[in-house]
Amino acid sequence: MSKHYQVFSVLGLPIHLITNYPNWLLERLQQGKGTHVVTLNAEMTMQAERNTSLAKVIQAAELVIPDGAGVVLYLQLLLRQKIQRCPGIELSEKLLREVERHTDAKVFFYGGAPKVAATAAEFWLSQLPKLRIAGTHSGYHSPEEEEQLRQTLSQLQPQVIFVGLGVPRQELWIAQNRHLCPQAIWIGVGGSFDIWSGTKSRAPAWLGDNNLEWLYRLYQEPWRWRRMLALPEFAWKAVVYRLTARGAIS
Ligand code: UDP
């Protein structure tokens, strides 16, 4: 593995630090190396503590990126150097641009309320006219429709598949279904289709730059307060983990 690829441990979960994630993924795509991308944040880390299936899926993923401010702060304290946060939505956007520019790969959008993924696809086609969006599917459906979706994916063989079902549903779904398109890049994108379709808006850049994107989400979706208790829980666990020296570099 190149020296630009390093793996670190955040409370027992891997984080891969790579100089250029979109390029790395583009290479994997061109080599037909199936890849599961996980966008790790403090909330997901705390879910994985309670959900061993989720923890195993994250541990097996080929790429885990530092999506959240808490994870980035933890790594900075561990490594004593500046770490660049890589929000999953931004990596997805860069990857879409690279895919359009350099490949004729087919992409697929799965997840979100009815019409959201389709509207997100229309948005991207207006931005990147040569992008090949092979299909879209909403994230709310019957078991029969889901079986139909599986068959569609098998037949179409898209090479980049965005799955926006929320955590942990999307990670578990990818792990269970990635064999359908074994050479594809699969990314769990949370609510990214909501943003691309204009259903929701992202935090202003200055909040993101100051590690405060979570505050904006709380303002937009106050019902999230209970889920956000994971943030102080993560901070507390991180301190304990460091004191007991279990957070050593793997
Ligand atoms: N969602 C879905 N099917 C479901 C539950 C959720 O497609 O059964 C979608 C929902 O519409 C939203 C996304 O999953 O677009 C979850 O977004 P959120 O921002 O909550 O993701 P997270 O914070 O978990 O990454």
Side-chain angles (χ1 to χ4, degrees):
M1 205 53 81
S2 102
K3 64 178 164 42
H4 302 296
Y5 177 104
Q6 292 173 294
V7 189
F8 297 98
S9 166
V10 176
L11 305 192
L13 298 174
I15 277 278
H16 303 106
L17 295 185
I18 301 178
T19 323
N20 187 327
Y21 291 112
N23 272 7
W24 190 82
L25 284 175
L26 204 61
E27 272 176 32
R28 300 271 305 181
L29 177 74
Q30 283 158 342
Q31 293 161 357
K33 288 186 178 161
T35 303
H36 180 183
V37 184
V38 170
T39 65
L40 193 71
N41 58 30
E43 200 183 321
M44 199 193 280
T45 310
M46 289 303 97
Q47 284 201 42
E49 292 243 319
R50 296 181 248 281
N51 181 339
T52 47
S53 304
L54 175 63
K56 280 184 189 151
V57 170
I58 298 172
Q59 276 150 2
E62 286 80 4
L63 184 64
V64 184
I65 63 167
D67 167 277
V71 168
V72 166
L73 289 174
Y74 177 91
L75 281 174
Q76 291 190 161
L77 288 174
L78 180 71
L79 303 174
R80 293 174 203 280
Q81 70 182 58
K82 177 112 182 79
I83 303 291
Q84 190 62 40
R85 188 165 85 93
C86 180
I89 187 167
E90 288 176 19
L91 174 59
S92 300
E93 291 171 357
K94 285 180 191 151
L95 184 61
L96 282 168
R97 292 181 198 284
E98 295 286 311
V99 164
E100 191 230 22
R101 192 173 306 152
H102 301 292
T103 77
D104 62 354
K106 290 180 284 189
V107 307
F108 196 97
F109 288 177
Y110 168 41
K115 297 206 178 79
V116 165
T119 310
E122 278 168 25
F123 165 75
W124 276 110
L125 284 177
S126 75
Q127 301 291 305
L128 305 172
K130 286 195 284 143
L131 188 66
R132 294 178 69 201
I133 301 187
T136 65
H137 200 287
S138 126
Y140 297 88
H141 44 61
S142 64
E144 294 75 29
E145 282 171 319
E146 191 174 325
E147 188 45 41
Q148 181 63 46
L149 166 65
R150 287 201 186 93
Q151 287 177 19
T152 305
L153 288 174
S154 288
Q155 280 158 15
L156 286 175
Q157 288 299 311
Q159 288 119 304
V160 190
I161 304 166
F162 297 87
V163 182
L165 302 175
V167 178
R169 205 181 268 117
Q170 63 198 20
E171 283 70 32
L172 301 177
W173 198 87
I174 291 174
Q176 279 159 11
N177 292 284
R178 59 181 293 186
H179 66 279
L180 300 172
C181 305
Q183 297 187 318
I185 309 284
W186 299 76
I187 310 185
V189 290
S192 297
F193 300 135
D194 296 322
I195 309 271
W196 295 335
S197 65
T199 314
K200 284 185 192 158
S201 57
R202 255 196 103 190
W206 66 269
L207 277 176
D209 292 346
N210 289 292
N211 294 326
L212 291 173
E213 200 157 357
W214 60 272
L215 196 61
Y216 186 79
R217 292 208 79 174
L218 191 61
Y219 157 73
Q220 239 187 0
E221 301 163 77
W223 51 266
R224 276 181 177 266
W225 72 270
R226 196 183 288 277
R227 284 175 57 175
M228 287 197 172
L229 293 179
L231 293 171
E233 189 189 356
F234 173 83
W236 167 244
K237 290 235 164 100
V239 169
V240 173
Y241 217 80
R242 289 297 295 140
L243 288 178
T244 55
R246 287 196 293 154
I249 299 169
S250 64

